[in-house]
Amino acid sequence: MRKIQMVDLQTQYQHIKADIDKGIEEVIASAAFIKGPKVTAFQEHLEQYTGAKHVITVGNGTDALQIALMALGLQPGDEVITPTFTFIATAEVVALLGLTPVVVDVDWETMNISVEGIRKAITPKTKAIVPVHLFGQCANMEAIMTLAREHNLFVVEDACQAIGAKYTFRDGTTKQAGTIGHIGCTSFFPSKNLGCYGDGGAIFTNDDELAEKMKAVANHGCFVRYHHDFVGVNSRLDSIQAAILDAKLPHLDAYIANRQRAATYYDKAFAHNAHILTPGREKSSTHVYHQYTLRLIDVDRDAVREELAARGIPAMIYYPIPLHLQKAYQDPRYLPGDFPVAEKLAACVLSLPMHTELDDEQLEYITRNVLEIIG
Ligand SMILES: *Cc1c(COP(=O)(O)O)cnc(C)c1O
């Protein structure tokens, strides 16, 4: 049996080595390392794939979120609503920009931001919502977009874990994660569903004005070279990463299918164990399983994780501490116990190996051992 890893990028590379190597060699031969034709080509292909009118590539997913918020013209003290159960980057950029992160609880089943939580958190200072499509399925975007319209709020989707997930609205229209709100952000961190071999990210929007503004923000605040209209940042996807991503994009649907197949295997194996809750599903969204995350009930989660490691099965805790309990984000408005669902999830979640190369032998070994350990 091949060694079990959380993510197996080596095996994935072996299948597409010829295309990846060719792309990298072309960039080196052309010496167009920054803003080369590979970047433009990849952006166009990603526009076609996602249906977004504009794709703007940037240095990483965190930059994508920061640039998105910088383009909205928010003022210090404006409130931005995010879930408390997420990766830190979601709230970090809000805090860095002098905006006020307002955190809300999540839904126990989908682990995504609670719409009721958002509704209660809206104040006259609220300017934007940043829903996170956690672990690969969209948040309840129908309700979130309706709330945003009612209160005149921007929606910036954190789609870093959900590229390729599809959301179907009640009127029958289907949109991809990241193309539903005013702006969507994604990450090409190597382990993400569409990962490069370094850092990378992208921003999606259908709004021409926001697109121009975000390109300028990412380029030192200039629309015209050496004319700086406002304070911006420097954030770019380099051509080598673009070439790698362009070689991988045609495989993304197959990669998603492989992840879904592994998830179905897990779902079936764990369906009848009282201590294991498999991931709940958001009914209007497909799930691209960036992570396959169990909730373990009345079990010593950390002991399970150790015993799995001893048997050669890695497992990770995403995320062990909700935002409102992080040292850097302590705020007199929030106390332990304020967001009980997120706190309960942080104490009971366990993510199993999930990637594009899991085979039946590995899946059988993982599920058999999880069931043996948990009993
Ligand atoms: C990965 C990730 C980010 C940040 O992406 P980087 O490319 O690592 O900066 C932001 N939000 C979420 C939910 C993520 O998973």
Side-chain angles (χ1 to χ4, degrees):
M1 187 174 65
R2 236 178 26 244
K3 182 172 175 278
I4 296 172
Q5 304 180 64
M6 279 307 285
V7 182
D8 182 353
L9 297 174
Q10 294 95 336
T11 308
Q12 190 191 61
Y13 167 63
Q14 289 309 321
H15 293 307
I16 51 171
K17 185 177 185 312
D19 287 348
I20 298 270
D21 293 0
K22 182 166 162 277
I24 294 175
E25 280 164 17
E26 281 170 12
V27 174
I28 296 172
S30 74
F33 296 113
I34 296 290
K35 297 194 171 171
K38 289 281 182 201
V39 177
T40 319
F42 171 62
Q43 287 181 166
E44 281 169 16
H45 296 151
L46 196 54
E47 283 165 4
Q48 284 154 18
Y49 180 84
T50 58
K53 189 167 179 202
H54 304 279
V55 169
I56 301 155
T57 54
V58 294
N60 56 64
T62 309
D63 278 4
L65 289 162
Q66 178 174 338
I67 292 161
L69 289 173
M70 286 174 76
L72 297 179
L74 307 184
Q75 300 304 314
D78 283 351
E79 293 176 356
V80 178
I81 296 176
T82 75
T84 187
F85 190 63
T86 179
F87 181 57
I88 197 72
T90 317
E92 182 177 58
V93 294
V94 177
L96 266 178
L97 294 173
L99 307 168
T100 304
V102 171
V103 298
V104 306
D105 212 349
V106 292
D107 176 79
W108 169 247
E109 283 300 327
T110 65
M111 303 183 242
N112 272 324
I113 192 164
S114 152
V115 171
E116 249 333 283
I118 300 175
R119 200 189 305 276
K120 283 191 226 142
I122 293 174
T123 74
K125 285 189 181 168
T126 309
K127 290 288 153 46
I129 308 171
V130 184
V132 181
H133 305 316
L134 199 70
F135 303 145
Q137 69 180 338
C138 294
N140 182 348
M141 292 308 287
E142 180 109 39
I144 291 170
M145 294 311 292
T146 305
L147 261 183
R149 267 190 300 273
E150 281 168 15
H151 296 271
N152 201 19
L153 307 176
F154 289 112
V155 174
V156 176
E157 301 172 69
D158 181 342
C160 287
Q161 302 187 355
I163 192 163
K166 295 194 180 86
Y167 189 92
T168 303
F169 288 83
R170 272 198 291 272
D171 68 4
T173 53
T174 294
K175 288 184 185 170
Q176 276 201 29
T179 69
I180 302 165
H182 301 85
I183 305 175
C185 299
T186 202
S187 163
F188 305 124
F189 185 81
S191 64
K192 296 283 158 83
N193 287 22
L194 179 63
C196 58
Y197 294 176
D199 273 310
I203 308 172
F204 308 124
T205 188
N206 295 322
D207 183 309
D208 298 341
E209 259 177 58
L210 279 176
E212 285 313 303
K213 183 81 195 279
M214 291 191 288
K215 279 184 216 165
V217 172
N219 184 31
H220 304 287
C222 45
F223 295 97
V224 178
R225 209 171 190 181
Y226 305 126
H227 296 251
H228 303 278
D229 294 4
F230 52 89
V231 179
V233 298
N234 171 28
S235 188
R236 308 183 275 242
L237 182 75
D238 70 68
S239 304
I240 287 182
Q241 301 308 334
I244 291 162
L245 289 164
D246 210 30
K248 288 180 79 171
L249 183 58
H251 301 281
L252 182 55
D253 284 337
Y255 289 162
I256 291 171
N258 288 0
R259 288 173 178 275
Q260 289 168 336
R261 183 181 160 280
T264 303
Y265 195 109
Y266 285 145
D267 277 346
K268 281 193 188 139
F270 302 134
H272 303 295
N273 188 297
H275 296 289
I276 304 177
L277 294 179
T278 56
R281 299 289 300 271
E282 167 63 50
K283 61 184 185 321
S284 303
S285 176
T286 63
H287 200 321
V288 297
Y289 293 103
H290 174 59
Q291 298 297 342
Y292 184 89
T293 303
L294 298 174
R295 291 158 292 166
L296 301 184
I297 308 303
D298 299 328
V299 178
D300 182 343
R301 187 249 330 248
D302 299 328
V304 170
R305 185 176 177 222
E306 266 170 45
E307 184 53 32
L308 283 169
R311 298 183 189 199
I313 303 169
M316 298 291 282
I317 297 164
Y318 303 121
Y319 295 93
I321 307 173
L323 291 182
H324 69 282
L325 302 180
Q326 294 285 356
K327 197 169 161 193
Y329 291 81
Q330 265 169 24
D331 183 315
R333 287 174 302 168
Y334 305 128
L335 295 170
D338 278 358
F339 304 104
V341 178
E343 290 172 37
K344 194 167 158 195
L345 285 171
C348 80
V349 287
L350 192 67
S351 296
L352 296 180
M354 174 49 75
H355 54 79
T356 58
E357 312 300 322
L358 283 165
D359 61 32
D360 279 2
E361 191 188 13
Q362 293 174 314
L363 289 165
E364 193 278 328
Y365 181 81
I366 296 166
T367 51
R368 176 161 47 81
N369 280 282
V370 168
L371 289 167
E372 250 176 50
I373 294 167
I374 291 177

